[in-house]
């Protein structure tokens, strides 16, 4: 899957609109109505034909009776497996339950994180867990307002990671990944609400230069802490 970071076509089509009871799409820093979005998507599809042009929604927000979808447009190769992106199917729904042991042998389940917004890091293996991720997730947890947890699909050396992390790091989660959301090649970071519903998806760990930012104030606050 390839993300398209900027869209000249939407810049050309874009004009400022008043948000009144319809559907809008936020693309980078622009918000366009549904007709403009479909027109731009069709132009991009022509450019990339025969590749598949689609989009992924990271967040849905209601504003003034309108729905705003915060999205990123992606190009799929014909042989890419759409199943890899099943995590997007849980947007607005409960993330599947999980229960694994941490490095001390203590059992950690999804229910442990209820009552607070939680950032869930999805990793393929321990080598993908960066020091910067741990530092930022620690800062999030140490506010006292949020939880964090890392789910790592494959077995790896967890001692160093767990020693630095102020949040649970759960190893050998491969069966949960396969049964529910597939193993991400690169890490993804999910935002769950107090009830465990998936509310936002960071395709990558937030960086200062990111232009695909959350709309909802809660998600934006988390984004600002992490980056």
């Amino acid at each position: 899957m390839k993300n398209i970071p900027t869209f000249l076509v939407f810049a050309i089509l874009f004009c400022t609109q008043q948000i009144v009871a319809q559907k809008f799409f936020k693309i980078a820093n622009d918000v366009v109505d549904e007709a403009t979005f479909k027109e731009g998507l069709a132009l991009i599809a022509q450019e990339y034909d025969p590749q598949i042009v689609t989009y992924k929604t990271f967040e849905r927000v209601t504003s003034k009776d309108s729905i705003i979808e915060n999205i990123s447009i992606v190009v799929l190769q014909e042989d890419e497996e759409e199943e890899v992106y099943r995590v997007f199917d849980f947007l607005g729904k409960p993330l599947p339950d999980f229960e694994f042991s941490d490095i001390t042998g203590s059992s950690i389940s999804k229910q442990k994180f209820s009552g607070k917004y939680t950032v869930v890091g999805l990793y393929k293996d321990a080598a993908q867990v960066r020091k910067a991720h741990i530092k930022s997730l620690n800062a999030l947890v140490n506010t006292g307002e949020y939880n964090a947890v890392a789910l790592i699909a494959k077995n790896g050396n967890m001692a160093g990671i767990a020693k630095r992390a102020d949040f649970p790091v759960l190893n050998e989660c491969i069966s949960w990944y396969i049964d529910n959301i597939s193993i991400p090649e690169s890490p993804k970071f999910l935002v769950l609400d107090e009830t465990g519903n998936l509310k936002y998806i960071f395709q990558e760990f937030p960086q200062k230069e990111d232009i695909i930012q959350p709309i909802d104030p809660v998600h934006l606050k988390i984004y600002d802490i992490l980056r």
Side-chain angles (χ1 to χ4, degrees), residues 72-85:
S72 181
I73 294 178
V74 298
V75 177
L76 299 174
Q77 303 294 333
E78 288 184 278
D79 58 350
E80 281 190 295
E81 179 55 72
E82 184 68 21
E83 190 176 275
V84 171
Y85 311 111

Side-chain angles (χ1 to χ4, degrees), residues 63-75:
S63 176
K64 298 180 181 178
D65 298 324
S66 291
I67 301 297
I68 305 175
E69 293 201 10
N70 193 2
I71 68 165
S72 181
I73 294 178
V74 298
V75 177

Side-chain angles (χ1 to χ4, degrees), residues 1 4 7 14 42 64 74 76 84 88 90 93 96 105 114 121 126-127 129-130 150 152 156 161 163 190 209 221 226:
M1 181 178 74
I4 304 177
F7 316 105
F14 174 73
K64 298 180 181 178
V74 298
L76 299 174
V84 171
F88 290 89
F90 293 101
K93 303 174 184 176
S114 62
V129 184
R130 306 299 183 196
I152 301 176
I161 297 171
K163 184 177 180 179
L190 315 181
E209 62 272 16
K221 184 178 178 183
L226 291 179

Side-chain angles (χ1 to χ4, degrees), residues 150-171:
L151 301 181
I152 301 176
K154 298 182 179 180
N155 187 30
N157 183 4
M158 307 302 298
I161 297 171
K163 184 177 180 179
R164 295 192 302 269
D166 297 334
F167 53 90
V169 180
L170 307 181
N171 205 12

Side-chain angles (χ1 to χ4, degrees), residues 99-117:
E99 184 170 1
F100 298 101
S101 296
D102 65 13
I103 196 168
T104 69
S106 299
S107 181
I108 306 291
S109 68
K110 178 187 166 185
Q111 285 66 39
K112 174 182 173 64
F113 306 103
S114 62
K116 294 182 181 180
Y117 271 73

